Amino acid sequence: MKDNKYSRRNFLHKYLKAGSILAGAGFVLSYTSLSAVAKELVQSSSSNQQPPKKAVKPAQKNQCDNLSGVSAEEIEKRKKLAYVTKTPIPDSHCSNCTLYLPPAKDKPCGGCMLFKGPVRPDGYCAYWAPINN
């Protein structure tokens, strides 16, 4: 049988050998570049010793803004009633509204008859009604 230079066997042998060489070269190059980058990072971090940054504490949130136990429906109700934590009208706030429920002895926040969840005394909503004495 004649040796055919265009046979399938010769083609596969030739290109598998070339593919193996290229894959090996790519692996070696990537490994050497990664190790060079790692060495550079170590050197730069040791030469630029900076004191560690202080942890920044998040601002203390008001307990009356914690809605973690409030259902999504009730939160939506608060939005529809235009409840805000700080009144835009100085003489109209939750603590002087007929619908406001004062806080219990050991609680900092009150409530509202229209929706569930904590309410700030200095909050406001569109259904504010003055207390009639």
Side-chain angles (χ1 to χ4, degrees), residues 8 11 15 45 58-59 66 71 75 87 90 94 96 108-109 120 122 126-127 130 133:
R8 188 178 312 144
F11 174 80
Y15 286 101
S45 67
N66 183 359
S71 71
I75 292 173
T87 182
C94 292
N96 68 1
C109 312
R120 285 188 181 201
D122 56 344
Y127 284 81
N133 290 330

Side-chain angles (χ1 to χ4, degrees), residues 68-81:
S68 60
V70 181
S71 71
E73 294 168 349
E74 290 297 325
I75 292 173
E76 190 60 33
K77 211 184 281 186
R78 292 166 85 97
K79 289 178 185 176
K80 286 181 181 177
L81 296 173

Side-chain angles (χ1 to χ4, degrees), residues 87 89-93 96 128:
T87 182
I89 306 166
D91 294 332
S92 302
H93 44 83
N96 68 1
W128 178 83

Side-chain angles (χ1 to χ4, degrees), residues 5-74:
K5 70 176 187 176
Y6 296 112
S7 72
R8 188 178 312 144
R9 179 176 281 173
N10 284 341
F11 174 80
L12 289 174
H13 180 60
K14 182 179 176 182
Y15 286 101
L16 284 175
K17 189 175 182 182
S20 298
I21 291 171
L22 287 174
F27 177 76
V28 169
L29 288 174
S30 67
Y31 178 76
T32 56
S33 65
L34 285 176
S35 62
V37 169
K39 284 180 186 177
E40 186 177 320
L41 285 174
V42 169
Q43 288 174 352
S44 67
S45 67
S46 64
S47 64
N48 295 333
Q49 287 290 335
Q50 295 178 353
K53 293 182 180 179
K54 292 182 181 179
V56 177
K57 290 183 181 179
Q60 291 288 335
K61 284 193 169 187
N62 190 320
Q63 292 176 343
C64 298
D65 297 336
N66 183 359
L67 301 176
S68 60
V70 181
S71 71
E73 294 168 349
E74 290 297 325

